[in-house]
Amino acid sequence: MKLSIIGTGYVGLVTGACFAEKGHDVTCVDNDPAKVALLRGGGIPIYEPGLEDIIRRNVAAGRLRFSDSIAEGVRHGQAVFVAVPTPPRPDGSVEMRFVEKVARDIAGAMTEYRIVVDKSTVPVKTGLKVADTIKRYNKAGVEFDVVSNPEFMREGCAVQDQMNPDRIVVGVTSQRPVPAMKEVYGPFNAPLIITDINSAELIKHASNSFLALKISYANALSAICECSHANIEQVVDGVGFDKRIGRAFLNAGIGYGGSCFPKDISAFIAIAEELGCDFRLLKEVQRINADQLHRFVKKIRETLWVLNDKVIAVFGLAFKPNTDDVRSSPAIDLVHALQREDTAIRAYDPQGMEKAREILKNVTFCGDPYEAAKGADAIVLATEWDEFKSLDYARIKGLMTHPIFFDGRNQLDPAKMTALGYTYKSIGR
Ligand code: UDX
């Protein structure tokens, strides 16, 4: 099927590439000519495992191409997927100007029936507003349908999530676009859930909020474990075996971050408020998340007493492993918190250094964890990269001024670290 994607960010690029991989004929559009030029030249603007291969393969096979013209995208795609940014406004609500602009542009370019599919994460009732906008700006009265089709891909395994989804949600206002949406997703072999359009939009915010809620629940439990000398890992393992609960997203740490959870939870609170509902549960989820980082910094301060002048090695800057994304990363917040107390930071991240350099000032960026550990009064593990589990910690101990280790992601074995001579502190155990 001929498909177009408007916006080549994480969501748009991965979606377009995976559609092509499943045999569809895809045009990806972006209004940034430099990005389009990069993609046309074989470059990939983001780090996402597996993406480069898929893009290269499908461009070569003629199933995937890039354009900076929405008109070209609208001409090409029977279904036009909108995957443009919906960033947060300062008050937590969602900035809708890019979605609205694309709706107008699509309206202006449409000459025959099109299905306009919203993939961006948007407030409930956006689809209806997009439909009104297209109707208003398409003077020729061309027929169209608006569909909501939220994405559920995690950075770092976005390709895998997109190729093997748990479910596909399709929100519609009429049955007309349903067969085409079934054709788009037929090759993905996943349950297709057809809902009304408002429900589809809510499913996205409800899913991400629930996952964040699980993390905050584990983090709140970790505080209780610390006060009661219990072990959070054992507690959540025991809880997670209950199939009704599940073990996933119950890892305590220094909190959730990234471009989705913080933004989506703020947005959902703001959306609820606009609808006259006070979503206090989610406000508490946010509060616990912020507290978790403060509690961790307090732990570091209590151990080192005065932080001023201390050299701290930070392992991990990305908001989670297998990505170079440092947006709303708890690791970055942690560095800022430590810098406010005049520590000297030596940092290392397997992928996130380049992007971290744009945000962090006065940090010594190191080529590997061993270099970062040199002369450190303490190490803080802030992102759960696999690489950090298998380092030579005996060697690292020898490089440090003092063998003090704060494990913000419970990645290492407390008994082993203590046996090596470290003062080792983690979360909730
Ligand atoms: C999330 C959703 O999972 C995905 O479905 C949605 O479409 C986009 O938002 P992503 O932001 O890529 O994906 O990251 P995710 O893997 O969900 O992790 C989010 C944050 O939670 C990370 O900072 C991670 O370290 C943290 N986390 C995750 C925990 O602290 N504990 C856990 O148990 C799981």
Side-chain angles (χ1 to χ4, degrees), residues 46 177 193 206-207 254 290 294 341 352 354 397:
I46 53 169
I193 299 156
S207 301
I254 54 171
H294 297 147
E341 305 202 29
E354 206 175 303
K397 186 186 155 200

Side-chain angles (χ1 to χ4, degrees), residues 151-155 204 208 211 215 248-253 255-261 319-321 330 384 409:
E151 53 80 22
F152 302 99
M153 38 191 176
R154 292 160 298 171
E155 284 180 29
K204 169 67 197 233
N208 270 5
L211 293 170
I215 298 169
F249 280 72
L250 284 177
N251 293 320
Y256 60 76
S259 62
C260 291
F261 283 0
F319 81 98
K320 66 170 197 178
E384 61 272 39
R409 295 287 179 186

Side-chain angles (χ1 to χ4, degrees), residues 366-377:
C366 302
D368 62 50
Y370 300 96
E371 192 191 331
K374 269 186 203 152
D377 293 290

Side-chain angles (χ1 to χ4, degrees), residues 217-261:
Y217 187 70
N219 283 335
L221 279 179
S222 77
I224 296 174
C225 287
E226 286 176 16
C227 298
S228 59
H229 301 286
N231 181 319
I232 184 67
E233 299 292 317
Q234 294 176 9
V235 172
V236 292
D237 282 350
V239 169
F241 264 106
D242 187 325
K243 287 197 190 68
R244 294 168 303 174
I245 299 173
R247 176 64 180 80
F249 280 72
L250 284 177
N251 293 320
I254 54 171
Y256 60 76
S259 62
C260 291
F261 283 0

Side-chain angles (χ1 to χ4, degrees), residues 365-404:
F365 291 97
C366 302
D368 62 50
Y370 300 96
E371 192 191 331
K374 269 186 203 152
D377 293 290
I379 293 173
V380 175
L381 192 159
T383 310
E384 61 272 39
W385 286 96
D386 267 348
E387 174 178 337
F388 299 143
K389 286 191 203 158
S390 51
L391 298 175
D392 180 349
Y393 281 106
R395 181 178 157 210
I396 285 182
K397 186 186 155 200
L399 298 168
M400 299 176 71
T401 307
H402 299 291
I404 302 177

